[in-house]
Amino acid sequence: MPVDIANYISLSTVIFFIGVIGVVTRRNPLIVLMSIELMFNAANLAIVAFSKLWGNNAGHIFVFLVVTVAAAEAAIGLAIVVQVFRRAKHVDLDEVAGLRG
Amino acid sequence: MILFFALAIVLVASAIVTIVQKSPVYSVVSLLVNFIALAAMYFTLNAEFIGVIQIVVYTGAILVLFVFVIALLSSGIGPFSEGPDRLPKILVPALVATLAAFGFLTYGLTRVPLGTLPAHVTTSTVGDVGKANVFGSVGDFGAALFTTHLLPFEVTAFILMVAVIGVVVLGSDATIAPTHGTHVPKKKSRERESIVKAAK
């Protein structure tokens, strides 16, 4: 049985939903950010697999853009975490409720 | 095929370890394993350049950033090392929702004819397939990036500039200083936070 596109897409789906579970269940913002990175990577894997399937390297360009956005997101997210820590001396996503209406 | 399944097992296991670890340092190490296995997976998909930037950007830049923030924040009192987790409380609804979404997605995947992966990709945007211009190589990627997809590349530069400005603004001390004319002074709000925290 050769490795097919469905294998890659299934693996990508599994990793994506592991990331989803991490985002909704953890309250440590660092681990939530890491789970978001997991979801980005799962999407990248699917894009690269489809790119090979169609023999079109536009998918590689797209993955490049996703990596850029992920880097920017991680930098800004971690800066926000540091700021929240400076304000509250305690980082818990459930207690960061300053914008609650 | 053996390589794929070995990498898949490593990927899933390290992803699970990433989200269940209590200490974020262990999560970062597990995520490192995940990223390197994913880079190897990209190499099996003829995406050499993507595999390289996966290692360079993710494990070289983003994970180091995570490690820096952990080291910065947990020196002293260590706010991340302990703490209650709502993992047991919310795990069941999260698992149900996730499995439902996973089921829908796999059901959709079985209904769509996906085709089979080609063993060797012969198309290339730079014309004839040569040694330097095979699919996914740096030459192929660069030619596509700087000709067909030049505008997204420039937008990338703009996004990075916005991120740099945002991080500088967020990281400066002026951000947390109480601004003039604010209705609620910062000290008061902090007191209120502690009161709210104490009430819980």
Tab-separated table of all heavy atoms in Angstrom, chain B residues 115-174:
chain	number	residue	atom	x	y	z
B	115	GLY	N	-7.592	11.474	-5.854
B	115	GLY	CA	-6.480	11.136	-6.736
B	115	GLY	C	-5.327	10.567	-5.949
B	115	GLY	O	-5.328	10.552	-4.729
B	116	THR	N	-4.344	10.104	-6.652
B	116	THR	CA	-3.184	9.513	-5.996
B	116	THR	C	-1.979	10.414	-6.188
B	116	THR	O	-1.849	11.119	-7.181
B	116	THR	CB	-2.878	8.131	-6.567
B	116	THR	OG1	-2.776	8.270	-7.988
B	116	THR	CG2	-3.964	7.148	-6.219
B	117	LEU	N	-1.095	10.361	-5.216
B	117	LEU	CA	0.104	11.175	-5.289
B	117	LEU	C	1.020	10.658	-6.398
B	117	LEU	O	1.248	9.455	-6.492
B	117	LEU	CB	0.862	11.107	-3.965
B	117	LEU	CG	0.439	12.058	-2.863
B	117	LEU	CD1	1.293	11.802	-1.648
B	117	LEU	CD2	0.599	13.484	-3.304
B	118	PRO	N	1.546	11.532	-7.207
B	118	PRO	CA	2.521	11.078	-8.197
B	118	PRO	C	3.833	10.717	-7.526
B	118	PRO	O	4.222	11.313	-6.523
B	118	PRO	CB	2.682	12.294	-9.107
B	118	PRO	CG	2.309	13.446	-8.249
B	118	PRO	CD	1.273	12.959	-7.291
B	119	ALA	N	4.485	9.727	-8.086
B	119	ALA	CA	5.767	9.319	-7.503
B	119	ALA	C	6.816	10.400	-7.732
B	119	ALA	O	7.584	10.749	-6.844
B	119	ALA	CB	6.225	7.997	-8.106
B	120	HIS	N	6.842	10.940	-8.937
B	120	HIS	CA	7.776	12.018	-9.222
B	120	HIS	C	7.013	13.142	-9.901
B	120	HIS	O	6.299	12.906	-10.870
B	120	HIS	CB	8.912	11.541	-10.132
B	120	HIS	CG	9.736	10.479	-9.502
B	120	HIS	ND1	10.631	10.741	-8.494
B	120	HIS	CD2	9.801	9.149	-9.723
B	120	HIS	CE1	11.213	9.615	-8.128
B	120	HIS	NE2	10.720	8.626	-8.858
B	121	VAL	N	7.173	14.316	-9.380
B	121	VAL	CA	6.507	15.460	-9.991
B	121	VAL	C	7.403	15.981	-11.091
B	121	VAL	O	8.587	16.244	-10.882
B	121	VAL	CB	6.243	16.545	-8.947
B	121	VAL	CG1	5.444	17.663	-9.559
B	121	VAL	CG2	5.510	15.961	-7.781
B	122	THR	N	6.828	16.109	-12.279
B	122	THR	CA	7.673	16.504	-13.402
B	122	THR	C	7.454	17.938	-13.825
B	122	THR	O	8.217	18.470	-14.613
B	122	THR	CB	7.404	15.595	-14.607
B	122	THR	OG1	5.993	15.544	-14.820
B	122	THR	CG2	7.928	14.212	-14.356
B	123	THR	N	6.382	18.550	-13.319
B	123	THR	CA	6.151	19.921	-13.751
B	123	THR	C	6.996	20.874	-12.924
B	123	THR	O	7.341	20.616	-11.785
B	123	THR	CB	4.684	20.305	-13.565
B	123	THR	OG1	4.352	20.095	-12.200
B	123	THR	CG2	3.808	19.485	-14.445
B	124	SER	N	7.322	21.956	-13.542
B	124	SER	CA	8.096	22.979	-12.856
B	124	SER	C	7.765	24.298	-13.510
B	124	SER	O	7.476	24.359	-14.701
B	124	SER	CB	9.585	22.689	-12.949
B	124	SER	OG	10.303	23.784	-12.459
B	125	THR	N	7.793	25.348	-12.725
B	125	THR	CA	7.420	26.637	-13.300
B	125	THR	C	8.545	27.214	-14.133
B	125	THR	O	8.354	28.197	-14.819
B	125	THR	CB	7.068	27.622	-12.187
B	125	THR	OG1	8.135	27.631	-11.252
B	125	THR	CG2	5.795	27.232	-11.508
B	126	VAL	N	9.730	26.654	-14.040
B	126	VAL	CA	10.851	27.210	-14.788
B	126	VAL	C	11.148	26.392	-16.024
B	126	VAL	O	12.274	26.339	-16.481
B	126	VAL	CB	12.109	27.315	-13.910
B	126	VAL	CG1	12.280	28.720	-13.430
B	126	VAL	CG2	12.051	26.366	-12.759
B	127	GLY	N	10.143	25.756	-16.550
B	127	GLY	CA	10.351	25.066	-17.808
B	127	GLY	C	10.831	23.637	-17.606
B	127	GLY	O	10.286	22.906	-16.801
B	128	ASP	N	11.849	23.283	-18.324
B	128	ASP	CA	12.314	21.899	-18.301
B	128	ASP	C	12.839	21.521	-16.928
B	128	ASP	O	13.431	22.328	-16.220
B	128	ASP	CB	13.425	21.706	-19.337
B	128	ASP	CG	12.884	21.841	-20.740
B	128	ASP	OD1	11.657	21.684	-20.907
B	128	ASP	OD2	13.668	22.143	-21.650
B	129	VAL	N	12.617	20.264	-16.629
B	129	VAL	CA	13.051	19.779	-15.337
B	129	VAL	C	14.538	19.462	-15.398
B	129	VAL	O	14.969	18.557	-16.088
B	129	VAL	CB	12.241	18.536	-14.935
B	129	VAL	CG1	12.788	17.968	-13.644
B	129	VAL	CG2	10.797	18.906	-14.765
B	130	GLY	N	15.291	20.254	-14.724
B	130	GLY	CA	16.715	19.981	-14.655
B	130	GLY	C	17.089	19.591	-13.246
B	130	GLY	O	16.240	19.383	-12.389
B	131	LYS	N	18.346	19.520	-12.985
B	131	LYS	CA	18.757	19.124	-11.662
B	131	LYS	C	18.455	20.201	-10.632
B	131	LYS	O	18.078	19.916	-9.512
B	131	LYS	CB	20.249	18.818	-11.670
B	131	LYS	CG	20.588	17.446	-12.207
B	131	LYS	CD	21.912	17.017	-11.637
B	131	LYS	CE	22.381	15.702	-12.228
B	131	LYS	NZ	21.398	14.655	-12.138
B	132	ALA	N	18.623	21.457	-11.026
B	132	ALA	CA	18.428	22.540	-10.062
B	132	ALA	C	16.987	23.002	-10.014
B	132	ALA	O	16.619	23.764	-9.143
B	132	ALA	CB	19.340	23.710	-10.397
B	133	ASN	N	16.197	22.592	-10.984
B	133	ASN	CA	14.862	23.164	-11.086
B	133	ASN	C	13.763	22.153	-10.857
B	133	ASN	O	12.647	22.353	-11.297
B	133	ASN	CB	14.670	23.785	-12.468
B	133	ASN	CG	15.587	24.953	-12.656
B	133	ASN	OD1	15.932	25.631	-11.699
B	133	ASN	ND2	15.996	25.191	-13.875
B	134	VAL	N	14.067	21.078	-10.158
B	134	VAL	CA	13.013	20.102	-9.908
B	134	VAL	C	11.991	20.703	-8.956
B	134	VAL	O	12.264	21.686	-8.265
B	134	VAL	CB	13.588	18.801	-9.323
B	134	VAL	CG1	14.378	18.075	-10.359
B	134	VAL	CG2	14.414	19.105	-8.114
B	135	PHE	N	10.850	20.050	-8.936
B	135	PHE	CA	9.726	20.558	-8.156
B	135	PHE	C	10.094	20.669	-6.680
B	135	PHE	O	10.574	19.709	-6.077
B	135	PHE	CB	8.545	19.609	-8.328
B	135	PHE	CG	7.354	19.978	-7.522
B	135	PHE	CD1	6.538	21.003	-7.913
B	135	PHE	CD2	7.060	19.292	-6.356
B	135	PHE	CE1	5.432	21.347	-7.175
B	135	PHE	CE2	5.962	19.635	-5.611
B	135	PHE	CZ	5.153	20.664	-6.017
B	136	GLY	N	9.878	21.822	-6.116
B	136	GLY	CA	10.117	22.008	-4.693
B	136	GLY	C	11.522	22.411	-4.325
B	136	GLY	O	11.798	22.694	-3.171
B	137	SER	N	12.423	22.449	-5.305
B	137	SER	CA	13.783	22.843	-4.979
B	137	SER	C	13.842	24.352	-4.765
B	137	SER	O	12.886	25.080	-4.999
B	137	SER	CB	14.733	22.432	-6.087
B	137	SER	OG	14.458	23.208	-7.229
B	138	VAL	N	14.997	24.811	-4.316
B	138	VAL	CA	15.127	26.229	-4.036
B	138	VAL	C	14.991	27.054	-5.303
B	138	VAL	O	14.368	28.114	-5.317
B	138	VAL	CB	16.473	26.498	-3.338
B	138	VAL	CG1	16.629	27.959	-3.034
B	138	VAL	CG2	16.577	25.691	-2.072
B	139	GLY	N	15.559	26.533	-6.407
B	139	GLY	CA	15.462	27.267	-7.656
B	139	GLY	C	14.024	27.385	-8.129
B	139	GLY	O	13.567	28.470	-8.538
B	140	ASP	N	13.315	26.287	-8.046
B	140	ASP	CA	11.911	26.279	-8.455
B	140	ASP	C	11.093	27.231	-7.580
B	140	ASP	O	10.324	28.072	-8.070
B	140	ASP	CB	11.394	24.849	-8.332
B	140	ASP	CG	9.972	24.716	-8.798
B	140	ASP	OD1	9.630	25.384	-9.777
B	140	ASP	OD2	9.217	23.964	-8.174
B	141	PHE	N	11.300	27.116	-6.283
B	141	PHE	CA	10.557	27.955	-5.349
B	141	PHE	C	10.874	29.427	-5.561
B	141	PHE	O	9.976	30.280	-5.613
B	141	PHE	CB	10.903	27.537	-3.911
B	141	PHE	CG	10.191	28.324	-2.862
B	141	PHE	CD1	8.950	27.944	-2.427
B	141	PHE	CD2	10.782	29.448	-2.313
B	141	PHE	CE1	8.292	28.666	-1.466
B	141	PHE	CE2	10.129	30.175	-1.345
B	141	PHE	CZ	8.882	29.784	-0.925
B	142	GLY	N	12.176	29.729	-5.696
B	142	GLY	CA	12.560	31.130	-5.845
B	142	GLY	C	12.055	31.738	-7.137
B	142	GLY	O	11.597	32.887	-7.159
B	143	ALA	N	12.094	30.960	-8.215
B	143	ALA	CA	11.598	31.483	-9.485
B	143	ALA	C	10.111	31.783	-9.397
B	143	ALA	O	9.636	32.811	-9.898
B	143	ALA	CB	11.878	30.476	-10.603
B	144	ALA	N	9.371	30.892	-8.715
B	144	ALA	CA	7.936	31.156	-8.581
B	144	ALA	C	7.683	32.331	-7.653
B	144	ALA	O	6.782	33.145	-7.875
B	144	ALA	CB	7.230	29.911	-8.048
B	145	LEU	N	8.499	32.426	-6.598
B	145	LEU	CA	8.260	33.488	-5.601
B	145	LEU	C	8.543	34.862	-6.183
B	145	LEU	O	7.815	35.820	-5.912
B	145	LEU	CB	9.140	33.240	-4.371
B	145	LEU	CG	8.967	34.197	-3.206
B	145	LEU	CD1	7.570	34.079	-2.642
B	145	LEU	CD2	9.972	33.909	-2.129
B	146	PHE	N	9.567	34.971	-7.015
B	146	PHE	CA	9.962	36.299	-7.474
B	146	PHE	C	9.374	36.671	-8.821
B	146	PHE	O	9.629	37.766	-9.316
B	146	PHE	CB	11.482	36.400	-7.533
B	146	PHE	CG	12.113	36.385	-6.180
B	146	PHE	CD1	13.063	35.456	-5.848
B	146	PHE	CD2	11.736	37.314	-5.222
B	146	PHE	CE1	13.628	35.428	-4.597
B	146	PHE	CE2	12.294	37.299	-3.976
B	146	PHE	CZ	13.242	36.359	-3.657
B	147	THR	N	8.635	35.773	-9.436
B	147	THR	CA	7.989	36.157	-10.694
B	147	THR	C	6.475	36.126	-10.553
B	147	THR	O	5.825	37.158	-10.550
B	147	THR	CB	8.415	35.218	-11.825
B	147	THR	OG1	8.126	33.875	-11.436
B	147	THR	CG2	9.887	35.354	-12.108
B	148	THR	N	5.931	34.935	-10.371
B	148	THR	CA	4.473	34.816	-10.373
B	148	THR	C	3.862	35.393	-9.116
B	148	THR	O	2.817	36.033	-9.165
B	148	THR	CB	4.078	33.334	-10.488
B	148	THR	OG1	4.961	32.701	-11.396
B	148	THR	CG2	2.665	33.199	-10.980
B	149	HIS	N	4.535	35.151	-7.988
B	149	HIS	CA	3.953	35.527	-6.695
B	149	HIS	C	4.748	36.643	-6.049
B	149	HIS	O	5.018	36.611	-4.856
B	149	HIS	CB	3.901	34.305	-5.785
B	149	HIS	CG	3.196	33.147	-6.391
B	149	HIS	ND1	1.829	33.078	-6.491
B	149	HIS	CD2	3.652	32.017	-6.968
B	149	HIS	CE1	1.492	31.957	-7.077
B	149	HIS	NE2	2.572	31.291	-7.388
B	150	LEU	N	5.094	37.640	-6.838
B	150	LEU	CA	5.913	38.721	-6.288
B	150	LEU	C	5.118	39.577	-5.316
B	150	LEU	O	5.627	39.990	-4.268
B	150	LEU	CB	6.460	39.587	-7.428
B	150	LEU	CG	7.436	40.673	-7.003
B	150	LEU	CD1	8.630	40.055	-6.325
B	150	LEU	CD2	7.878	41.475	-8.192
B	151	LEU	N	3.863	39.839	-5.623
B	151	LEU	CA	3.053	40.692	-4.745
B	151	LEU	C	2.842	40.074	-3.358
B	151	LEU	O	3.037	40.763	-2.350
B	151	LEU	CB	1.721	41.015	-5.421
B	151	LEU	CG	0.810	41.927	-4.595
B	151	LEU	CD1	1.471	43.288	-4.407
B	151	LEU	CD2	-0.536	42.085	-5.241
B	152	PRO	N	2.485	38.781	-3.251
B	152	PRO	CA	2.407	38.202	-1.897
B	152	PRO	C	3.716	38.277	-1.144
B	152	PRO	O	3.730	38.457	0.082
B	152	PRO	CB	2.011	36.746	-2.162
B	152	PRO	CG	1.320	36.768	-3.441
B	152	PRO	CD	1.950	37.848	-4.237
B	153	PHE	N	4.819	38.163	-1.847
B	153	PHE	CA	6.122	38.259	-1.184
B	153	PHE	C	6.315	39.640	-0.571
B	153	PHE	O	6.775	39.789	0.568
B	153	PHE	CB	7.216	37.947	-2.207
B	153	PHE	CG	8.599	38.116	-1.672
B	153	PHE	CD1	9.066	37.294	-0.672
B	153	PHE	CD2	9.427	39.088	-2.184
B	153	PHE	CE1	10.346	37.445	-0.175
B	153	PHE	CE2	10.701	39.247	-1.691
B	153	PHE	CZ	11.159	38.428	-0.690
B	154	GLU	N	5.904	40.665	-1.322
B	154	GLU	CA	6.056	42.017	-0.780
B	154	GLU	C	5.084	42.267	0.363
B	154	GLU	O	5.411	42.966	1.324
B	154	GLU	CB	5.873	43.042	-1.903
B	154	GLU	CG	7.028	42.988	-2.886
B	154	GLU	CD	6.808	43.843	-4.094
B	154	GLU	OE1	5.683	44.315	-4.270
B	154	GLU	OE2	7.769	44.026	-4.868
B	155	VAL	N	3.884	41.702	0.249
B	155	VAL	CA	2.930	41.821	1.354
B	155	VAL	C	3.489	41.158	2.611
B	155	VAL	O	3.276	41.624	3.738
B	155	VAL	CB	1.569	41.217	0.943
B	155	VAL	CG1	0.627	41.143	2.115
B	155	VAL	CG2	0.953	42.052	-0.148
B	156	THR	N	4.256	40.069	2.414
B	156	THR	CA	4.922	39.409	3.537
B	156	THR	C	5.855	40.368	4.266
B	156	THR	O	5.871	40.432	5.500
B	156	THR	CB	5.716	38.216	3.003
B	156	THR	OG1	4.820	37.290	2.449
B	156	THR	CG2	6.497	37.563	4.104
B	157	ALA	N	6.625	41.113	3.488
B	157	ALA	CA	7.529	42.089	4.101
B	157	ALA	C	6.739	43.112	4.906
B	157	ALA	O	7.126	43.504	6.021
B	157	ALA	CB	8.357	42.779	3.018
B	158	PHE	N	5.601	43.535	4.371
B	158	PHE	CA	4.767	44.514	5.075
B	158	PHE	C	4.226	43.922	6.380
B	158	PHE	O	4.232	44.582	7.422
B	158	PHE	CB	3.631	44.950	4.161
B	158	PHE	CG	2.785	46.031	4.745
B	158	PHE	CD1	3.281	47.316	4.878
B	158	PHE	CD2	1.506	45.758	5.185
B	158	PHE	CE1	2.502	48.311	5.429
B	158	PHE	CE2	0.724	46.749	5.736
B	158	PHE	CZ	1.227	48.028	5.857
B	159	ILE	N	3.791	42.648	6.318
B	159	ILE	CA	3.266	41.995	7.528
B	159	ILE	C	4.339	41.927	8.603
B	159	ILE	O	4.092	42.203	9.785
B	159	ILE	CB	2.743	40.587	7.178
B	159	ILE	CG1	1.458	40.676	6.381
B	159	ILE	CG2	2.493	39.773	8.432
B	159	ILE	CD1	0.993	39.347	5.859
B	160	LEU	N	5.559	41.589	8.193
B	160	LEU	CA	6.636	41.500	9.178
B	160	LEU	C	6.935	42.862	9.785
B	160	LEU	O	7.199	42.972	10.987
B	160	LEU	CB	7.889	40.918	8.529
B	160	LEU	CG	7.839	39.414	8.311
B	160	LEU	CD1	9.098	38.945	7.648
B	160	LEU	CD2	7.644	38.698	9.619
B	161	MET	N	6.853	43.913	8.954
B	161	MET	CA	7.107	45.249	9.485
B	161	MET	C	6.032	45.633	10.493
B	161	MET	O	6.323	46.195	11.561
B	161	MET	CB	7.153	46.255	8.349
B	161	MET	CG	7.639	47.618	8.777
B	161	MET	SD	7.468	48.814	7.477
B	161	MET	CE	5.718	49.030	7.417
B	162	VAL	N	4.770	45.328	10.169
B	162	VAL	CA	3.686	45.616	11.110
B	162	VAL	C	3.895	44.864	12.416
B	162	VAL	O	3.711	45.397	13.525
B	162	VAL	CB	2.325	45.255	10.469
B	162	VAL	CG1	1.220	45.302	11.497
B	162	VAL	CG2	2.025	46.196	9.339
B	163	ALA	N	4.345	43.596	12.303
B	163	ALA	CA	4.574	42.798	13.514
B	163	ALA	C	5.693	43.394	14.352
B	163	ALA	O	5.590	43.456	15.581
B	163	ALA	CB	4.903	41.359	13.127
B	164	VAL	N	6.748	43.851	13.686
B	164	VAL	CA	7.866	44.434	14.437
B	164	VAL	C	7.410	45.682	15.171
B	164	VAL	O	7.699	45.872	16.360
B	164	VAL	CB	9.035	44.738	13.476
B	164	VAL	CG1	10.053	45.620	14.158
B	164	VAL	CG2	9.687	43.458	13.040
B	165	ILE	N	6.660	46.548	14.469
B	165	ILE	CA	6.179	47.775	15.118
B	165	ILE	C	5.249	47.426	16.282
B	165	ILE	O	5.329	48.001	17.371
B	165	ILE	CB	5.473	48.673	14.083
B	165	ILE	CG1	6.490	49.184	13.078
B	165	ILE	CG2	4.797	49.850	14.771
B	165	ILE	CD1	5.879	49.943	11.936
B	166	GLY	N	4.389	46.440	16.069
B	166	GLY	CA	3.469	46.052	17.131
B	166	GLY	C	4.187	45.522	18.353
B	166	GLY	O	3.840	45.847	19.489
B	167	VAL	N	5.219	44.715	18.131
B	167	VAL	CA	5.951	44.157	19.267
B	167	VAL	C	6.707	45.252	19.998
B	167	VAL	O	6.760	45.260	21.241
B	167	VAL	CB	6.898	43.043	18.782
B	167	VAL	CG1	7.856	42.659	19.878
B	167	VAL	CG2	6.103	41.839	18.359
B	168	VAL	N	7.255	46.207	19.253
B	168	VAL	CA	7.979	47.297	19.917
B	168	VAL	C	7.015	48.130	20.759
B	168	VAL	O	7.305	48.491	21.906
B	168	VAL	CB	8.700	48.159	18.865
B	168	VAL	CG1	9.197	49.451	19.486
B	168	VAL	CG2	9.860	47.395	18.289
B	169	VAL	N	5.837	48.401	20.205
B	169	VAL	CA	4.855	49.176	20.961
B	169	VAL	C	4.383	48.405	22.191
B	169	VAL	O	4.286	48.945	23.297
B	169	VAL	CB	3.662	49.548	20.045
B	169	VAL	CG1	2.535	50.120	20.871
B	169	VAL	CG2	4.096	50.543	19.014
B	170	LEU	N	4.121	47.110	22.008
B	170	LEU	CA	3.639	46.313	23.139
B	170	LEU	C	4.718	46.116	24.190
B	170	LEU	O	4.433	46.073	25.382
B	170	LEU	CB	3.184	44.946	22.644
B	170	LEU	CG	1.806	44.842	22.042
B	170	LEU	CD1	1.601	43.460	21.478
B	170	LEU	CD2	0.754	45.124	23.084
B	171	GLY	N	5.959	46.014	23.742
B	171	GLY	CA	7.005	45.697	24.688
B	171	GLY	C	7.555	46.884	25.443
B	171	GLY	O	8.283	46.708	26.402
B	172	SER	N	7.190	48.089	25.010
B	172	SER	CA	7.755	49.257	25.669
B	172	SER	C	7.046	49.499	26.995
B	172	SER	O	5.909	49.080	27.211
B	172	SER	CB	7.607	50.479	24.773
B	172	SER	OG	6.249	50.770	24.612
B	173	ASP	N	7.737	50.184	27.887
B	173	ASP	CA	7.159	50.444	29.201
B	173	ASP	C	6.013	51.442	29.137
B	173	ASP	O	5.200	51.505	30.047
B	173	ASP	CB	8.240	50.981	30.138
B	173	ASP	CG	9.191	49.869	30.528
B	173	ASP	OD1	8.751	48.718	30.501
B	173	ASP	OD2	10.348	50.167	30.842
B	174	ALA	N	5.993	52.234	28.060
B	174	ALA	CA	4.961	53.265	27.975
B	174	ALA	C	3.576	52.652	27.846
B	174	ALA	O	2.580	53.301	28.141
B	174	ALA	CB	5.243	54.167	26.773
